[in-house]
Amino acid sequence: MIDKSIKIQRTQSVLRELIPEALSTLEDEMLRGVCVIDVECSRGKYDANVYLDGSVYDEKEKNYILSRLDRVQRHIQTHCMQAEGWFRCPRFTFYFDDSLERQNKMDALFAKVDEELKKGKNNDA
């Protein structure tokens, strides 16, 4: 059971490296700049969720990127199979991960609250 988990983790790690490599070979400048944050494979490695950094794109750009990635998926799969000598490659589903953006907003809010608390202490003294 543990052995399967290690194999999936290894596949995920390899895909985190190979997908950006495959994207760098494309002609589309916007796709070449996409940053892969994480890859999660299904138990049978038939499907993989690919999480992208969406913090630098607006909604229109995100929709464009996702539609283009669906079109070039076969190219990305072929690149991964050739690089690793695999017989098959998972089907990719791409998502923009906005957790980093949410984390940055939360950090900014906490910094603001901290600043307000310090101002309050200074006024009391």
Side-chain angles (χ1 to χ4, degrees):
M1 191 79 159
I2 294 172
D3 191 43
K4 287 182 181 179
S5 175
I6 292 171
K7 286 181 181 180
I8 288 174
Q9 289 176 3
R10 182 185 180 288
T11 301
Q12 291 172 165
S13 176
V14 167
L15 289 173
R16 272 193 297 275
E17 293 177 23
L18 290 178
I19 293 170
E21 193 177 288
L23 292 174
S24 71
T25 65
L26 298 173
E27 305 240 343
D28 190 324
E29 189 69 36
M30 193 171 279
L31 292 183
R32 282 193 266 166
V34 172
C35 179
V36 174
I37 295 174
D38 198 13
V39 176
E40 291 179 356
C41 292
S42 65
R43 183 174 260 144
K45 296 191 275 186
Y46 292 106
D47 297 299
N49 293 334
V50 181
Y51 298 97
L52 311 169
D53 179 15
S55 61
V56 296
Y57 303 109
D58 62 29
E59 284 305 311
K60 186 177 178 183
E61 290 171 327
K62 287 180 182 180
N63 290 333
Y64 170 81
I65 290 169
L66 291 176
S67 69
R68 292 291 298 151
L69 285 171
D70 281 339
R71 288 186 193 157
V72 298
Q73 179 163 179
R74 191 70 199 137
H75 169 78
I76 298 169
Q77 289 173 316
T78 301
H79 179 89
C80 294
M81 287 189 296
Q82 289 175 346
E84 285 297 304
W86 292 341
F87 179 69
R88 65 178 169 82
C89 186
R91 169 147 175 56
F92 302 120
T93 306
F94 296 96
Y95 300 98
F96 278 102
D97 183 7
D98 61 347
S99 62
L100 184 62
E101 190 176 338
R102 283 196 310 260
Q103 180 65 42
N104 289 339
K105 286 180 182 177
M106 291 295 290
D107 289 344
L109 283 173
F110 284 126
K112 189 174 183 178
V113 167
D114 188 46
E115 190 178 303
E116 294 294 323
L117 287 173
K118 286 179 182 176
K119 283 182 184 177
K121 285 182 181 178
N122 289 341
N123 290 340
D124 290 344

